[in-house]
């Protein structure tokens, strides 16, 4: 082959390869330059030293936090579990290059373990394993700027204030800072004045109101050097619908059920049982609230409502026992005092519409006339007087037996009765002498006194029962008013 022909062939091959390498789909040259760039950058590089040319100058590190999701809020242990995206940006003076010298490569992505990284940690970390950020790649630009994006699931301590539970709001702080470098070595800055919430996944229990960021410079007691940090305050508001329908409304309904125990008839025997049952139901709800709340001095608002309701129910049960004792006053009870009769039976009974059977709603039932001191056997008049047979009554029939008669002033005797029991006197059972009129009157008077005492005892018992009924109605409305006012105050305080 002639020499000129060989030279033309080589020139044509080189030109063809150059044309191929300029085709956009051809990345072989980029790969070679990227490999060479990586080799040149890390030839004399150490990831253990702070990448600054002047060690007296601080390295600026910019921090940006994006909240992705609130995983859990443990009020009892006061721990917030959140899913964050953490971006850190700094300039590494030893990882800059001229992009024109490497075929226009502007940035490379390499594992983060190859470069120096600031030891930015979460100060209020509450994770048992102290797991840091995920080992992701870093993006290195030609001017030495390094951007490190890493997702992290953080568990941070959060001071929980449950004073207004379930209408409470919480403020949880996420404080980021360098663990070993002070402010003269690393100057930590926040990129924005607030956390990024554009990709936040809504939580069913908590509503995020904001996430402001603030830079602080603190001098700790252990060291004299300043330590900068960036604190993100997560402002949360609890969605109270779940707790209203599952804890608050049942308590309100149960508390309104308690005063109805006063309306329950005393003879039913279930007044005290109703109060005790309601008290046990509220105790169960109180235990449910106590299990989820931290053991702090601040009592939750719903806990205060439960305690107040349980106090009212305890007082109503005690008053029910007292009123039942009044209701079951026996015949030996003392007469009702005059002030009680006037105040309770006349005024309060009308106010609370308490009437006996057959008593008019407009006016009290008139009191029946008391029996005279003595009555005779025929329904009769007072002592020393006699009445004829009642209207419609049949006169006594005459039979073969001994007949009554009048003698010695018209005294009526029965010859078959004989002398009075326990009374000594002249016996005239076999005669027609009518001499036992005083004994009969004495026996009739004794029977009348027994009926009169029995009726007086029934009257006293009825008065005490009516007093108990009036007091039941009075305390029922009082406790209804107290439950309503207490519920209004609790809900108004929460609002």
């Amino acid at each position: 082959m002639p020499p000129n022909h060989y030279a033309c062939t080589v020139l044509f091959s080189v030109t063809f390869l150059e044309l191929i390498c300029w085709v956009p789909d051809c990345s072989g040259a980029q790969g070679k330059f990227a490999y060479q760039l990586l080799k040149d950058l890390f030839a004399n590089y150490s990831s253990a030293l702070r990448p600054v040319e002047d060690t007296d100058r601080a390295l600026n590190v910019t921090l940006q936090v994006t909240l992705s999701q609130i995983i859990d809020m443990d009020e009892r242990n006061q721990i917030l579990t959140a899913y964050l995206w953490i971006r850190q940006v700094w300039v590494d003076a030893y990882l800059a290059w001229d992009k024109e010298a490497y075929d226009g490569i502007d940035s490379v992505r390499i594992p983060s373990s190859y470069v120096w990284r600031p030891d930015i940690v979460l100060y209020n970390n509450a994770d048992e394993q102290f797991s840091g950020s995920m080992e992701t790649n870093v993006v290195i630009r030609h001017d030495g700027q390094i951007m490190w994006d890493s997702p992290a699931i953080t568990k941070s301590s959060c001071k929980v204030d449950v004073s207004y539970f379930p209408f409470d709001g919480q403020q949880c702080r996420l404080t980021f800072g360098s663990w070993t470098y002070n402010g003269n070595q690393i100057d930590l800055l926040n990129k924005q004045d607030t956390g990024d919430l554009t990709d936040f996944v809504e939580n069913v229990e908590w509503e995020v109101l904001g996430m402001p960021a603030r830079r602080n410079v603190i001098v700790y007691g252990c060291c004299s050097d300043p330590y900068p940090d960036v604190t993100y305050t997560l402002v949360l508001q609890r969605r109270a619908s779940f707790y209203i329908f599952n804890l608050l409304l049942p308590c309100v309904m149960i508390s309104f059920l308690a005063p109805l125990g006063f309306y329950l008839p005393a003879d039913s025997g279930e007044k005290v049982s109703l109060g005790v049952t309601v008290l046990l139901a509220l105790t169960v709800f109180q235990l449910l609230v106590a299990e989820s709340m931290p053991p702090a001095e601040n009592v939750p608002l719903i806990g205060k409502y439960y305690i107040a309701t349980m106090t009212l129910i305890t007082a109503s049960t005690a008053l029910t026992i007292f009123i039942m004792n009044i209701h079951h006053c026996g015949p030996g009870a003392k007469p009702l005092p005059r002030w009680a009769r006037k105040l309770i039976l006349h005024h309060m009974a009308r106010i609370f519409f308490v009437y006996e059977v057959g008593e008019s709603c407009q006016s009290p039932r008139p009191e029946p006339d008391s029996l005279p001191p003595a009555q005779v056997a025929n329904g009769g008049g007072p002592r020393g007087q006699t009445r004829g047979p009642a209207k419609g009554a049949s006169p006594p029939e005459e039979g073969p037996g001994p007949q009554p008669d009048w003698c010695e002033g018209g005294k009526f005797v029965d010859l078959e009765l004989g002398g009075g029991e326990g009374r000594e006197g002249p016996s005239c059972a076999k005669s027609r002498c009518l001499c036992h009129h005083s004994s009969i009157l004495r026996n009739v008077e004794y029977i009348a006194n027994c009926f009169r005492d029995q009726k007086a005892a029934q009257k006293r018992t009825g008065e005490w029962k009516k007093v108990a009924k009036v007091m039941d109605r009075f305390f029922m409305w009082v406790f209804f008013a107290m439950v309503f006012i207490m519920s209004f105050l609790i809900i108004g305080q929460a609002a």
Side-chain angles (χ1 to χ4, degrees):
M1 180 179 295
N4 55 354
H5 181 73
Y6 179 77
C8 292
T9 304
V10 172
L11 181 62
F12 175 77
S13 299
V14 173
T15 306
F16 180 74
L17 289 176
E18 290 179 355
L19 291 174
I20 292 176
C21 290
W22 280 104
V23 175
D25 293 337
C26 181
S27 60
Q30 282 279 1
K32 290 181 181 179
F33 283 111
Y35 180 80
Q36 185 64 34
L37 174 62
L38 184 63
K39 184 179 178 180
D40 294 342
L41 288 178
F42 291 95
N44 296 317
Y45 183 82
S46 175
S47 61
L49 298 178
R50 189 167 57 96
V52 291
E53 295 179 350
D54 186 3
T55 56
D56 294 334
R57 296 182 60 182
L59 178 64
N60 294 331
V61 178
T62 304
L63 182 67
Q64 175 64 32
V65 173
T66 300
L67 178 63
S68 177
Q69 184 181 4
I70 296 176
I71 299 176
D72 183 36
M73 179 65 175
D74 189 355
E75 293 94 344
R76 186 168 185 84
N77 296 319
Q78 303 188 67
I79 295 177
L80 172 66
T81 305
Y83 180 40
L84 305 177
W85 298 344
I86 303 175
R87 170 173 291 183
Q88 303 176 48
V89 179
W90 69 95
V91 176
D92 195 320
Y94 302 112
L95 295 180
W97 70 88
D98 184 8
K99 63 180 181 179
E100 299 298 334
Y102 293 93
D103 198 23
I105 296 178
D106 182 70
S107 63
V108 292
R109 288 167 175 81
I110 61 175
S112 59
S113 59
Y114 287 10
V115 301
W116 176 90
R117 294 172 297 180
D119 56 345
I120 305 299
V121 297
L122 181 63
Y123 280 175
N124 55 334
N125 190 6
D127 194 357
E128 298 177 356
Q129 301 178 356
F130 289 96
S131 58
S133 302
M134 186 181 297
E135 294 291 337
T136 58
N137 291 339
V138 296
V139 180
I140 307 178
R141 293 177 54 85
H142 69 280
D143 56 355
Q145 185 187 71
I146 299 179
M147 183 174 62
W148 182 26
D149 291 335
S150 61
I153 296 178
T154 61
K155 290 185 178 181
S156 59
S157 59
C158 178
K159 185 178 180 181
V160 178
D161 184 10
V162 292
S163 300
Y164 294 96
F165 175 83
F167 306 99
D168 58 327
Q170 305 297 333
Q171 292 187 358
C172 296
R173 292 177 172 84
L174 302 171
T175 303
F176 295 91
S178 176
W179 190 254
T180 57
Y181 295 102
N182 56 42
N184 299 323
Q185 297 170 331
I186 288 183
D187 190 8
L188 187 61
L189 305 172
N190 54 307
K191 184 178 181 181
Q192 298 178 357
D193 294 334
T194 180
D196 190 2
L197 300 175
T198 55
D199 298 319
F200 177 69
V201 179
E202 292 293 334
N203 189 269
V204 295
E205 184 178 0
W206 296 96
E207 179 184 0
V208 178
L209 302 181
M211 193 178 177
R214 180 180 179 183
R215 181 179 181 271
N216 306 302
V217 178
I218 301 176
V219 178
Y220 294 96
C222 64
C223 313
S224 59
D225 297 323
Y227 283 84
D229 64 66
V230 176
T231 300
Y232 290 88
T233 303
L234 191 58
V235 183
L236 303 174
Q237 180 65 41
R238 190 190 301 271
R239 304 180 192 269
S241 301
F242 174 81
Y243 299 97
I244 289 175
F245 286 99
N246 291 276
L247 291 179
L248 190 58
L249 283 183
C251 177
V252 173
M253 290 187 289
I254 290 175
S255 62
F256 275 99
L257 183 64
L260 291 177
F262 291 106
Y263 194 75
L264 198 64
D267 295 330
S268 64
E270 299 294 335
K271 293 172 70 71
V272 179
S273 301
L274 178 61
V276 173
T277 303
V278 172
L279 190 62
L280 291 176
L282 285 177
T283 304
V284 172
F285 281 102
Q286 174 69 17
L287 292 176
L288 291 177
V289 175
E291 287 179 356
S292 59
M293 294 294 103
E297 294 183 359
N298 296 332
V299 181
L301 190 63
I302 191 172
K304 295 178 181 179
Y305 184 72
Y306 282 162
I307 293 299
T309 305
M310 292 169 67
T311 304
L312 287 180
I313 295 175
T314 303
S316 67
T317 305
L319 287 173
T320 299
I321 296 174
F322 173 72
I323 293 173
M324 288 187 65
N325 190 19
I326 295 177
H327 176 82
H328 292 286
C329 285
K334 295 181 179 179
L336 192 66
R338 182 177 299 177
W339 64 269
R341 181 180 289 106
K342 184 177 181 180
L343 176 64
I344 299 177
L345 297 185
H346 290 79
H347 299 289
M348 294 181 64
R350 293 182 180 180
I351 294 174
F352 297 106
F353 304 102
V354 178
Y355 301 103
E356 298 294 339
V357 178
E359 187 176 358
S360 173
C361 297
Q362 302 295 332
S363 59
R365 183 178 55 185
E367 297 291 338
D369 296 334
S370 59
L371 291 174
Q375 293 180 352
V376 293
N378 59 359
R383 180 179 300 179
Q385 298 179 2
T386 59
R387 293 184 182 177
K391 185 176 181 180
S394 305
E397 299 180 357
E398 296 183 1
Q403 302 296 328
D405 201 354
W406 296 94
C407 68
E408 297 182 0
K411 296 180 179 180
F412 175 77
V413 296
D414 191 348
L415 298 180
E416 294 294 326
L417 290 176
E421 193 173 328
R423 174 178 176 272
E424 295 181 0
S427 177
C428 54
K430 299 297 183 180
S431 65
R432 288 256 176 197
C433 179
L434 306 178
C435 57
H436 295 281
H437 180 58
S438 59
S439 175
I440 293 175
L441 290 179
R442 190 160 41 253
N443 293 336
V444 171
E445 184 179 2
Y446 174 76
I447 296 173
N449 289 335
C450 289
F451 278 106
R452 185 169 58 251
D453 294 341
Q454 183 180 4
K455 190 172 182 180
Q458 291 178 353
K459 181 181 178 182
R460 288 195 302 270
T461 303
E463 287 179 344
W464 284 112
K465 287 185 177 181
K466 189 174 182 180
V467 167
K469 192 173 182 180
V470 173
M471 294 179 66
D472 268 335
R473 295 290 178 85
F474 171 73
F475 285 116
M476 181 186 72
W477 291 112
V478 168
F479 275 84
F480 265 130
M482 293 177 66
V483 169
F484 179 79
I485 294 174
M486 183 180 62
S487 303
F488 180 77
L489 290 178
I490 292 294
I491 297 177
Q493 185 177 2

